[in-house]
Amino acid sequence: MLARLVANRLLEIRQIFRQPLSSRSFSTALNYHIDSPDNNPEQPWEFTDVNKEKAKEILSHYPSNYKQSAVIPLLDLAQQQHGGWLTVSAMNAVAKIIEVAPIRVYEVATFYSMFNRSKVGKYHLLVCGTTPCMIRGSREIEDALLKHLGVKRNEVTKDGLFSVGEMECMGCCVNAPMITVADYSSGSKGYTYNYYEDVTPKRVVEIVEMLRKGEKLPPGTQNPLRIKSGPEGGNTTLLSEPKPPPCRDLDAC
C-alpha cells in the first residue's frame, strides 16, 4: 500500500515538471523561486546601520569558526527589517555575513515555517492548527478572521495591514485555541511577536480592529475568568504553598 502511494506521488511530480512553469500549481508543485521585480538576486539589500550592530551582537554569541550557527537569528532580523518576509537578496546578504554558500541559507529559510518567502501583512496573524486547538475551535477562529478581512489563507489585505496563516503547535495547549500576531508595522525597531490565548471568533475580530486602530492589547489569555493558564474561576485545589516531601531535606540540595 505504501509503495503504491509513493509511486503515485512520484508520477504526479514527474507530470508537474513536464508542464510549462506558467501552468504549474503552487499547491502541488515543489517549492522553487521565480525572479520578480521585488524579489531577485540583483536587487540590492543590506542591513540598516542599527541592524548591522545587532548582527555583530548576534555573531558575538558564537565562536568565529562557527558563525554559520547564527543563520536563524540573522534571518529573523532580516525578516523583521524587510516587513515580515525574506527576499533572495536578503538571504544572500546573510550568507555573505556568515561566509557560507547561499544555498545553505536557502535550506534553512525554506525549511522553517517561521520564515516567510512571500509578502505578509504588517500584522501577520497565525492560527494554531494542531489537535488541541482544533478540538477547541481553531477552524472557526480562522474562518472568522478570513471572512472579516475578506482574504484567503496567506493572502494580504488590500491595505497591506493583515494576512492570515496557520502555524503548528505553539506550545500553549492549556490555553487553546490561540493565535500569534507578528507585528511588523514598525520594522525591527518595534517588532513584537505575541500570543493571544483562549480566543473566540468574536474576540479575534475585536483584536483585528484594535490593531487596525493602533491599540496595543495585553497578550496572553483573553478569558477574563482565567489568570494565565490557571483554571477558570480560580483554583479549587492546591490553595496553599505545597509542602516538601517528608523524606527529603530540600534545603540540603
Side-chain angles (χ1 to χ4, degrees):
M1 180 65 180
L2 180 60
R4 189 182 305 116
L5 290 173
V6 171
N8 289 340
R9 183 55 180 155
L10 287 173
L11 179 60
E12 290 174 5
I13 293 172
R14 291 193 189 100
Q15 291 171 343
I16 288 169
F17 279 93
R18 290 192 185 108
Q19 300 172 11
L21 286 176
S22 59
S23 64
R24 293 182 190 172
S25 168
F26 255 99
S27 62
T28 55
L30 297 178
N31 190 15
Y32 57 88
H33 172 73
I34 300 177
D35 286 350
S36 62
D38 59 354
N39 189 4
N40 63 79
E42 303 305 319
Q43 184 183 35
W45 196 98
E46 64 177 352
F47 282 114
T48 63
D49 290 340
V50 171
N51 284 342
K52 284 178 181 177
E53 293 303 312
K54 290 183 179 179
K56 288 180 181 178
E57 195 273 332
I58 289 171
L59 287 169
S60 71
H61 297 174
Y62 305 91
S64 59
N65 58 329
Y66 284 102
K67 60 173 64 178
Q68 67 268 27
S69 299
V71 61
I72 288 180
L74 287 175
L75 282 174
D76 186 44
L77 183 63
Q79 180 166 274
Q80 293 173 27
Q81 176 178 312
H82 199 69
W85 68 292
L86 292 169
T87 62
V88 168
S89 55
M91 291 187 287
N92 289 346
V94 170
K96 186 176 181 180
I97 290 172
I98 60 176
E99 299 178 355
V100 299
I103 186 62
R104 297 303 181 196
V105 177
Y106 306 160
E107 290 170 343
V108 175
T110 56
F111 180 81
Y112 291 102
S113 61
M114 65 184 280
F115 297 122
N116 304 308
R117 292 286 293 109
S118 58
K119 289 182 180 180
V120 298
K122 291 183 178 179
Y123 299 103
H124 188 39
L125 315 175
L126 296 166
V127 182
C128 183
T130 311
T131 305
C133 280
M134 189 174 290
I135 291 173
R136 295 278 293 169
S138 64
R139 284 290 175 260
E140 289 79 3
I141 300 299
E142 183 183 47
D143 289 344
L145 287 170
L146 297 178
K147 182 178 179 180
H148 182 69
L149 294 170
V151 294
K152 297 178 181 178
R153 185 189 290 180
N154 298 322
E155 283 186 346
V156 183
T157 55
K158 292 180 180 179
D159 58 10
L161 277 180
F162 298 99
S163 56
V164 180
E166 182 184 12
M167 181 181 286
E168 292 309 304
C169 189
M170 298 179 186
C172 287
C173 307
V174 71
N175 292 91
M178 63 175 295
I179 66 170
T180 284
V181 178
D183 182 352
Y184 299 104
S185 61
S186 302
S188 53
K189 182 179 180 180
Y191 171 73
T192 59
Y193 185 89
N194 289 321
Y195 283 4
Y196 297 92
E197 305 151 4
D198 297 305
V199 292
T200 63
K202 178 182 177 182
R203 183 56 179 165
V204 291
V205 170
E206 293 173 348
I207 289 173
V208 165
E209 292 309 310
M210 292 174 73
L211 292 171
R212 193 190 301 276
K213 296 174 184 176
E215 299 177 9
K216 301 299 182 183
L217 63 159
T221 180
Q222 302 299 297
N223 183 344
L225 301 178
R226 298 188 74 177
I227 298 176
K228 296 183 179 179
S229 59
E232 186 173 301
N235 287 1
T236 56
T237 59
L238 301 177
L239 300 177
S240 60
E241 286 295 317
K243 295 180 180 180
C247 57
R248 184 175 179 188
D249 183 2
L250 296 182
D251 292 333
C253 295

